[in-house]
Amino acid sequence: MDAPILDTYRAAFVAALAQSLSLPVTEVDPQVKPAEPAHGDFTFPTFPLARAQKKAPPAIAQGLAAQTKVEGLQVVAAGPYVNARLLPQPFTGQVLAQVRAQGPRYGGSDAGRGRAVAIDYSSPNIAKPIGFHHIRTTFLGHAIANLYRANGWRVEGINYLGDWGKQFGLVAVGFQEYGDPGRRKEMGHLVEVYVRANKRAGEEPAFDARARDFFRQMEAGDPQALGLWREFRDTSLDGFKKVYERLGIHFEHYDGESLYQEQMDAVIDEVSRTVGVKVSDGALVVDMPPKDNEPPVLLKKSDGSTLYATRDLAAAKDRYERFHFDLSLYVVAQDQALHFRQVFEVLERMGLPWAKRLVHVNFGRIHGMSTRKGQVVMLTDVLDEARARALEKVQANLAAGKMETADPEKLAEQIGLGAIVFGDLKNRRTTDYTFDWDEVLEFDGHTGPYLQYAHARACNILRKGGGAPSGWDAGLLVLPEEQALVREVARLPGAVQAALAENEPSVVARLLLDVAAAFSRWYTLGNQDRDKRVLVEGEAHADVRAARLALVDAVRNTLSSGLALLGISAPENM
């Protein structure tokens, strides 16, 4: 796959500067930054050269600009800076050609070919609903997995189910008390049972002890207890998969904590042999130097039950043996930072060379989410409400003649889901944010519906114009707004690379907003000047019209590809 156009020009500018300065490219490269649009596309400051050359930075810049020649770039001095601006040609033609050639894969690369990444995300608990607190791990994990796939990596997406522990004991004893045998295959009924059992356990120690005892029976391998566990696990998994199907999310693996139960003793033995263990207050802990205000890493409770850390140690080893990953990502909330830091440290102290490939992809919290029914319990409640609210807007716009669709219900589902997903992914993952229904569903602003509308507008222009042209003269795209839009389109591959490097989908989300805004500024020019319309009329303007349609098609493809990376549908009619 061809290199990103902007990267190619930047590399050429860096190489030319390095040659003019007789410096290694590696020394010059970090100094070249994006320029302010008024000054160019790339900029190089000469301040660091002043002492060695014993000249004023502006004088150095003047001489350097005169020496530095790069085909397709205009290189000039501006005070102490050497600025480079992309010439309209051949840049514009190269960008449009690359977008057309790569199609749905535009923005991606083959850089990760031959490499593997394991990504642990979503991970609900059985017999509990997928709640709103799973939104960030689910949407972030899915988008990050898409970014790696788009760059040629082999992705092993893992839904690591919480299917082991006392919570299942609560479901089991709760079902004995409150369950309806005729509804044992219903996910919703298991949730009802769990809620009642959990409340009772908090009020009645004897009931809580029954739940703990049931879990101990599971760990001891009691056939009856394990049979009930398998049945309820399957019921929960069927319920989860319906939600994921609605979201368009696919996991390569549905694993669970239970997968590692028979590996606990072996892991503890290995930790004991390599790092050391000790008994503290009856519990078995890893013998590592204590750190201020940090609890020890527990491997077994005083009653013999294993813990999350024990199972995560076993899971990490198993994943490396299965996948031979180059990276293993855990898309889990910031609240678990200490847990993962300790687990990773234990693995490193065990002498496992791949332990440094493990990364905790942390994220902040969502505040303020509620539905018309009240406090959100299930993710499906959020999705249903998003669809209902979107349908109200769709119907109002249809009645006012501002929108067109043959299937309002389908469009409302696409808009509703897109609003929720983009409302999350536009935020940097480490920040908290406040959810607001009115804000995420706006058709104007930094929202999913705004991007979907921009994509549909591009599709509509292409339909009216007879489709994307087979040939065009990119040299006719000379308007400042056209050149600004081409630059935004050209930024998608770089944004994808930056998002991948940081496991940060918001980089792509923000770039798409810039593309849509530049597109809007361009196509609305025709409201004041007929000659600036995309579908400019008259045989004399046929070539301009073809070039502008090619640019519209590039915008459509950029928005479609970017939205797909984020896990958002791109409607063709709105």
Side-chain angles (χ1 to χ4, degrees):
M1 190 174 288
D2 293 338
I5 303 299
L6 284 175
D7 288 356
T8 301
Y9 278 103
R10 183 185 180 281
F13 181 48
V14 169
L17 287 170
Q19 183 176 17
S20 298
L21 292 166
S22 299
L23 290 174
V25 166
T26 52
E27 194 172 321
V28 175
D29 185 78
Q31 303 300 318
V32 174
K33 307 292 184 184
E36 290 294 324
H39 298 131
D41 294 285
F42 314 112
T43 187
F44 175 76
T46 60
F47 302 107
L49 305 172
R51 178 174 295 182
Q53 295 193 15
K54 297 181 180 179
K55 291 182 182 178
I60 297 172
Q62 286 286 348
L64 191 54
Q67 286 180 268
T68 305
K69 307 296 181 185
V70 182
E71 186 177 353
L73 289 178
Q74 179 188 44
V75 180
V76 298
Y81 296 93
V82 178
N83 295 331
R85 183 183 298 280
L86 290 156
L87 297 174
Q89 292 302 323
F91 172 68
T92 302
Q94 291 169 334
V95 172
L96 297 188
Q98 185 173 77
V99 179
R100 175 68 65 88
Q102 294 184 0
R105 287 206 64 195
Y106 179 59
S109 76
D110 296 321
R113 188 172 299 282
R115 307 185 75 192
V117 58
I119 307 180
D120 176 334
Y121 65 104
S122 198
S123 307
N125 294 318
I126 65 168
K128 291 185 182 180
I130 302 180
F132 72 90
H133 55 285
H134 287 98
I135 282 178
R136 300 213 77 182
T137 174
T138 303
F139 295 165
L140 280 166
H142 181 49
I144 290 169
N146 287 342
L147 287 168
Y148 279 92
R149 288 190 189 99
N151 283 275
W153 289 67
R154 172 169 59 85
V155 174
E156 305 289 352
I158 304 166
N159 197 329
Y160 187 48
L161 303 172
D163 66 350
W164 202 253
K166 192 197 81 172
Q167 88 270 7
F168 185 80
L170 284 171
V171 177
V173 298
F175 199 83
Q176 293 168 1
E177 296 283 332
Y178 310 116
D180 179 349
R183 300 179 62 198
R184 63 193 303 134
K185 297 291 187 183
E186 294 180 21
M187 172 68 173
H189 184 52
L190 295 188
V191 172
E192 293 169 5
V193 166
Y194 173 78
V195 170
R196 293 184 67 179
N198 192 46
K199 182 175 185 296
R200 182 172 169 183
E203 300 168 349
E204 189 179 316
F207 188 79
D208 187 63
R210 282 176 58 191
R212 293 179 184 278
D213 184 62
F214 191 96
F215 176 53
R216 279 193 290 271
Q217 292 176 46
M218 288 168 53
E219 288 207 302
D222 179 77
Q224 188 173 356
L226 290 176
L228 189 62
W229 165 78
R230 290 189 190 94
E231 180 184 339
F232 287 171
R233 184 186 190 276
D234 290 345
T235 297
S236 293
L237 191 52
D238 287 343
F240 295 155
K241 286 181 177 179
K242 291 176 183 175
V243 178
Y244 295 129
E245 183 179 358
R246 181 176 181 182
L247 292 168
I249 295 176
H250 164 75
F251 294 91
E252 281 73 18
H253 310 278
Y254 282 91
D255 293 343
E257 294 178 62
S258 61
L259 183 63
Y260 304 107
Q261 278 317 105
E262 297 193 2
Q263 301 177 32
M264 296 297 93
D265 289 342
V267 167
I268 291 171
D269 287 346
E270 188 174 351
V271 174
S272 177
R273 186 174 65 254
T274 55
V275 187
V277 297
K278 62 184 179 181
V279 176
S280 176
D281 296 327
L284 188 68
V285 304
V286 181
D287 189 9
M288 293 194 302
K291 296 183 180 178
D292 291 343
N293 302 315
E294 285 192 10
V297 181
L298 273 66
L299 299 176
K300 273 189 178 181
K301 295 181 185 177
S302 57
D303 65 2
S305 298
T306 54
L307 292 104
Y308 290 119
T310 328
R311 294 190 281 274
D312 279 346
L313 291 170
K317 283 173 57 62
D318 173 67
R319 290 173 188 177
Y320 185 72
E321 290 166 5
R322 288 161 65 192
F323 309 132
H324 298 286
F325 53 70
D326 297 276
L327 274 176
S328 184
L329 310 181
Y330 296 78
V331 186
V332 183
Q334 173 63 28
D335 301 358
Q336 298 300 313
L338 172 61
H339 168 79
F340 284 108
R341 187 164 69 248
Q342 290 184 324
V343 167
F344 297 169
E345 182 180 352
V346 173
L347 290 165
E348 285 191 44
R349 287 175 177 267
M350 289 168 68
L352 299 170
W354 47 263
K356 292 188 180 294
R357 304 177 192 178
L358 309 181
V359 179
H360 175 205
V361 181
N362 61 321
F363 55 84
R365 298 187 177 194
I366 308 174
H367 301 291
M369 183 178 284
S370 62
T371 68
R372 292 168 180 173
K373 294 180 180 179
Q375 190 62 34
V376 174
V377 175
M378 301 176 71
L379 177 55
T380 51
D381 288 342
V382 180
L383 303 183
D384 288 346
E385 178 143 348
R387 178 179 57 202
R389 289 177 182 250
L391 184 59
E392 291 176 3
K393 288 180 172 283
V394 168
Q395 290 172 333
N397 281 319
L398 287 172
K402 297 179 180 178
M403 185 177 285
E404 58 180 57
T405 178
D407 192 340
E409 294 278 351
K410 179 181 178 181
L411 181 59
E413 174 79 354
Q414 291 176 320
I415 293 172
L417 294 185
I420 299 295
V421 175
F422 192 83
D424 183 89
L425 296 182
K426 73 177 182 180
N427 302 284
R428 289 195 66 85
R429 60 176 168 79
T430 54
T431 63
D432 294 0
Y433 74 91
T434 299
F435 181 88
D436 183 283
W437 279 109
D438 292 333
E439 179 184 321
V440 299
L441 283 162
E442 279 294 328
F443 282 78
D444 292 313
H446 295 173
T447 68
Y450 171 68
L451 294 179
Q452 290 174 318
Y453 182 76
H455 177 266
R457 171 58 65 93
C459 291
N460 187 46
I461 292 172
L462 288 167
R463 280 193 297 271
K464 289 182 177 178
S470 57
W472 62 88
D473 180 358
L476 297 174
L477 297 172
V478 295
L479 296 175
E481 292 82 3
E482 289 168 341
Q483 286 299 300
L485 180 54
V486 170
R487 280 167 171 72
E488 297 298 348
V489 167
R491 285 175 55 211
L492 179 62
V496 170
Q497 294 306 309
L500 192 69
E502 302 175 44
N503 295 309
E504 184 59 77
S506 67
V507 177
V508 172
R510 294 304 175 109
L511 180 275
L512 294 181
L513 290 172
D514 291 341
V515 172
F519 179 47
S520 178
R521 285 191 291 272
W522 173 53
Y523 75 69
T524 54
L525 289 176
N527 294 342
Q528 286 77 42
D529 186 339
R530 298 175 66 89
D531 287 343
K532 292 181 179 179
R533 288 181 178 178
V534 174
L535 300 180
V536 61
E537 298 172 352
E539 189 62 31
H541 298 297
D543 289 343
V544 172
R545 176 187 172 108
R548 290 176 181 172
L549 281 171
L551 179 53
V552 173
D553 190 48
V555 170
R556 176 204 60 77
N557 196 81
T558 301
L559 291 173
S560 176
S561 299
L563 287 170
L565 289 172
L566 300 179
I568 297 173
S569 296
E572 295 186 3
N573 270 305
M574 280 182 70

